[in-house]
Amino acid sequence: QVQLVESGGGLVQPGGSLRLSCAASGRTFSSRTMGWFRQAPGKEREFVASISWSTSNTYYADSVKGRITISKDNAKNTMYLQMNSLKPEDTAVYYCAVKKLYIGYSNVAGAYEYWGQGTQVTVSS
């Protein structure tokens, strides 16, 4: 019943920028945390960033801190990931996700309950 749809991925040169969007429907997430994860072939899904829907508190993985900004539009039920100074190691499928209820700080994929289908980001010259 919950639908999360990512968009905005594509091919970009190293040093370039992309903005990903995640549109949510089917229910409200006013008391939830939402996040972005990414997964490259042969690697585990890893945390990128998260944002609280009610407080707007944010958290970033060390690998992307300073290059990526997470934001949201409550009225549109949409979350964004602005990515700058992209590197080849940023190449992955990027997933939007909603965190489970009653969980404290955690950046593991198992702490998240609902997932989109992902959007491909490729950083290459």
Side-chain angles (χ1 to χ4, degrees), residues 44-88:
E44 294 187 356
R45 192 165 298 187
E46 67 173 342
F47 174 81
V48 177
S50 67
I51 185 168
S52 168
W53 215 250
S54 60
T55 68
S56 297
N57 288 347
T58 60
Y59 182 83
Y60 297 93
D62 289 341
S63 60
V64 302
K65 187 161 49 180
R67 301 188 297 116
I68 291 181
T69 301
I70 189 171
S71 62
K72 61 182 177 65
D73 186 328
N74 293 45
K76 296 182 178 180
N77 289 323
T78 301
M79 179 176 63
Y80 306 96
L81 191 72
Q82 177 68 48
M83 304 190 294
N84 302 319
S85 301
L86 286 165
K87 305 174 181 179

Side-chain angles (χ1 to χ4, degrees), residues 15-116:
S17 299
L18 284 174
R19 187 166 99 144
L20 307 183
S21 298
C22 172
S25 62
R27 65 183 298 172
T28 61
F29 301 100
S30 60
S31 300
R32 301 289 198 113
T33 291
M34 296 186 67
W36 289 94
F37 286 75
R38 65 187 183 185
Q39 187 167 22
K43 297 183 179 180
E44 294 187 356
R45 192 165 298 187
E46 67 173 342
F47 174 81
V48 177
S50 67
I51 185 168
S52 168
W53 215 250
S54 60
T55 68
S56 297
N57 288 347
T58 60
Y59 182 83
Y60 297 93
D62 289 341
S63 60
V64 302
K65 187 161 49 180
R67 301 188 297 116
I68 291 181
T69 301
I70 189 171
S71 62
K72 61 182 177 65
D73 186 328
N74 293 45
K76 296 182 178 180
N77 289 323
T78 301
M79 179 176 63
Y80 306 96
L81 191 72
Q82 177 68 48
M83 304 190 294
N84 302 319
S85 301
L86 286 165
K87 305 174 181 179
E89 50 263 44
D90 295 319
T91 296
V93 176
Y94 283 70
Y95 296 92
C96 169
V98 179
K99 198 174 185 179
K100 296 177 180 178
L101 289 171
Y102 311 118
I103 295 180
Y105 170 77
S106 177
N107 62 0
V108 301
Y112 286 74
E113 183 176 12
Y114 304 108
W115 296 84

